[in-house]
Amino acid sequence: MATPPFPIAYQQELPAVPDWLNKGDNAWQMTASTLVGIQSMPGLLIIYASIVKKKWAVNSAFMVLYAFAAVLICWVLVCYRMAFGDQLLPFWGKGAPALGQKYLVGRARVPESTHEVDGQTVTTEPFYAMATLVYFQFTFAAITLILLAGSVLGRMNIRAWMAFVPLWLMFSYTVGAFSLWGGGFLYQWGVIDYSGGYVIHVSSGIAGLTAAYWVGPRLKSDKERFPPNNVLLMLAGAGLLWMGWSGFNGGAPYAAHIASSIAILNTNVAAATSLLVWTCLDVIFFGKPSVIGAVQGMMTGLVCITPGAGLVQSWAAIVMGILSGSIPWVTMMILHKKCSLLQQVDDTLAVFHTHAVTGLLGGLLTGLFAEPQLCKLTLPEPTRGAFYGGKGGVQFLKQIVGALFVIAWNLVSTTIILLAIRIFIPLRMPEEQLAIGDDAVHGEEAYALWGDGEKYDPRKHGWHGSSYSEDIAPSPYVNGARGVTINL
């Protein structure tokens, strides 16, 4: 019996292994998808639940949980092909389901990415199934909504949030994704957004600030004193977010090749640099390092490198980390307090600074530092940053125009969506729910501090003579888990 030329595991005749399937690329892309998914579930869920006051832990976590599930269903029903399907308008694709077997088992393809390279027509066609690409891009869409939620924690009506998520995904996110990634006019013009500096971070930051304006502020007592309920748990979530970013930027080239390696190294270098710079600034100006500040510095480094992770040299990643650890620090700690407009908007987790400002910074720095040889590895056309001469100055201008489009679209679309929702559902919780928190909104609380979910009763538990001076607010809500309700 003749020996087959290749081991059976590597033969292409197997029914599930068509000749265009690269098992390594497919395995890496699914791994990257999982890493990005973990950034949201449970990464950001843990961060949000632990960084807010105890009274808002459940509500903040639920906003993440709902968004992740709702985005997935909307994504496969219509939104994926609005972002990566056939063109409807220069900035928008035709909506259609991504559920059919024939569609999902075929080779992945971004139809409107077709462009001319050296006289040949080239289209983005990764070496794996469409199902892999659909899920990978879903994780990006989901984390964008979840980042946006950070601006409105602690007061947005949960019913309004449930309506907002699918509408914003459909009418805002898909526009940016198609324009920059799906073959829209900014993609064809040559604006660089390697892995979402504009599509994800500028979008979530601008939309978050806009939503915070229309929803209104938290209670005065919450805004003035909003301590995290579990700093160590917050660090665990931050660790998941940082490690998951290797899939975020490493999966952007749609393949397991050199650009992925460069992107992952640069991502971690920039994050570490930014964290250290932010921490040093905290020590210099406030006399002590802040754990929350370190997490913010980590976040800004990750965001800043995202639009150019696989396109810049590693020394440039350090420069970007230095700038992302200092410029957003200045805008958050100094400029925010001097700007009357920003003072009027209650952006709970400062998403505007950590994502909009930093995403814009990263996009502009990519226009400066994009290295020509690295650009050849992933970009459809020869590209270089202004630092490398030639037509690099034009690229920097393109980055500015691309950012302006994303900012304007998110500002307008988010406003229209929220005003439309407000006709039917109040955007802000009632005052009674704002005063009580999770127990009023969900009938559940994060921690049962008295026995096995037992409500605190001063007649039973006493505390007479205790120095504890906080007011205990009796709750009229009888359903769900029980815990002590404290007006902190």
Side-chain angles (χ1 to χ4, degrees):
M1 184 175 180
T3 302
F6 299 102
I8 191 169
Y10 298 98
Q11 292 182 25
Q12 297 175 340
E13 290 76 11
L14 297 174
V17 187
D19 58 2
W20 45 260
L21 179 66
N22 184 305
K23 292 181 179 180
D25 286 353
N26 192 43
W28 165 239
Q29 207 65 36
M30 291 189 291
T31 301
S33 302
T34 303
L35 289 170
V36 180
I38 287 173
Q39 288 185 290
S40 298
M41 291 287 294
L44 284 168
L45 185 150
I46 293 174
I47 292 176
Y48 287 5
S50 54
I51 202 172
V52 298
K53 287 178 84 167
K54 178 257 177 188
K55 64 185 272 192
W56 294 118
V58 172
N59 181 255
S60 300
F62 182 79
M63 290 177 71
V64 176
L65 180 66
Y66 170 80
F68 195 81
V71 169
L72 176 55
I73 299 305
C74 295
W75 192 247
V76 296
L77 286 177
V78 66
C79 291
Y80 170 76
R81 293 175 78 167
M82 293 177 72
F84 294 93
D86 297 319
Q87 178 174 305
L88 175 65
L89 297 170
F91 53 86
W92 219 359
K94 296 178 182 178
L99 291 168
Q101 173 182 327
K102 183 178 180 181
Y103 182 77
L104 293 175
V105 301
R107 183 176 175 181
R109 185 172 184 270
V110 183
E112 298 301 334
S113 64
T114 301
H115 51 274
E116 297 289 333
V117 177
D118 297 329
Q120 295 183 339
T121 301
V122 179
T123 303
T124 300
E125 292 183 290
F127 295 104
Y128 42 74
M130 182 65 80
T132 301
L133 184 59
V134 170
Y135 186 76
F136 177 72
Q137 289 297 344
F138 147 70
T139 60
F140 280 68
I143 201 172
T144 307
L145 264 299
I146 292 167
L147 292 172
L148 188 163
S151 293
V152 292
L153 296 180
R155 83 279 198 178
M156 187 169 185
N157 187 331
I158 193 63
R159 294 178 179 84
W161 175 247
M162 293 171 73
F164 177 79
V165 168
L167 291 174
W168 192 87
L169 175 69
M170 186 177 299
F171 294 106
S172 188
Y173 179 83
T174 57
V175 170
F178 183 82
S179 298
L180 282 157
W181 289 343
F185 76 107
L186 293 176
Y187 174 92
Q188 297 293 348
W189 192 40
V191 177
I192 301 174
D193 190 7
Y194 179 83
S195 191
Y198 288 173
V199 174
I200 295 174
H201 299 295
V202 173
S203 294
S204 61
I206 295 299
L209 187 72
T210 306
Y213 172 82
W214 290 111
V215 172
R218 289 166 288 173
L219 287 180
K220 184 179 180 181
S221 59
D222 281 352
K223 190 174 180 181
E224 291 177 349
R225 188 169 184 270
F226 206 69
N229 67 82
N230 195 323
V231 173
L232 296 181
L233 194 61
M234 177 197 70
L235 284 174
L240 291 171
L241 191 69
W242 186 347
M243 295 300 99
W245 223 287
S246 292
F248 197 103
N249 289 343
Y254 295 162
H257 55 41
I258 296 173
S260 300
S261 303
I262 294 293
I264 291 174
L265 176 62
N266 286 346
T267 296
N268 287 274
V269 166
T273 304
S274 183
L275 185 154
L276 296 175
V277 170
W278 193 292
T279 300
C280 289
L281 290 173
D282 278 348
V283 171
I284 292 170
F285 287 92
F286 303 125
K288 61 184 70 174
S290 164
V291 174
I292 295 178
V295 171
Q296 289 171 325
M298 173 206 80
M299 178 77 76
T300 55
L302 293 167
V303 171
C304 186
I305 194 63
T306 292
L311 308 175
V312 302
Q313 297 185 65
S314 293
W315 64 261
I318 292 179
V319 174
M320 294 172 78
I322 293 171
L323 295 176
S324 65
S326 54
I327 293 177
W329 187 94
V330 171
T331 66
M332 184 186 299
M333 302 298 180
I334 299 175
L335 298 183
H336 184 95
K337 298 176 181 178
K338 296 183 178 181
C339 177
S340 59
L341 176 61
L342 292 177
Q343 283 286 293
Q344 294 173 12
V345 181
D346 182 15
D347 181 358
T348 306
L349 299 185
V351 178
F352 173 74
H353 299 284
T354 56
H355 293 275
V357 171
T358 313
L360 174 62
L361 175 65
L364 298 181
L365 291 174
T366 299
L368 291 177
F369 296 132
E371 201 279 328
Q373 296 302 315
L374 292 176
C375 288
K376 287 182 179 179
L377 299 179
T378 54
L379 297 185
E381 296 181 2
T383 306
R384 66 179 62 227
F387 183 80
Y388 295 94
K391 296 182 179 180
V394 175
Q395 185 63 50
F396 185 77
L397 294 176
K398 289 181 179 180
Q399 298 300 109
I400 295 175
V401 174
L404 292 175
F405 172 79
V406 172
I407 291 170
W409 186 270
N410 280 276
L411 184 65
V412 173
S413 63
T414 304
T415 296
I416 293 173
I417 290 168
L418 287 170
L419 292 180
I421 293 174
R422 192 170 68 174
I423 297 173
F424 306 98
I425 307 171
L427 298 178
R428 194 165 180 263
M429 293 180 190
E431 293 297 319
E432 182 184 17
Q433 291 185 354
L434 289 171
I436 296 173
D438 290 337
D439 194 25
V441 180
H442 301 280
E444 299 167 319
E445 295 194 30
Y447 306 106
L449 300 183
W450 292 95
D452 187 13
E454 186 178 7
K455 181 69 67 178
Y456 172 73
D457 184 347
R459 294 170 298 177
K460 181 177 179 181
H461 299 102
W463 278 13
H464 303 296
S466 170
S467 60
Y468 189 85
S469 60
E470 300 291 355
D471 295 329
I472 305 300
S475 172
Y477 300 88
V478 297
N479 296 319
R482 304 302 181 81
V484 61
T485 303
I486 304 175
N487 290 332
L488 295 176

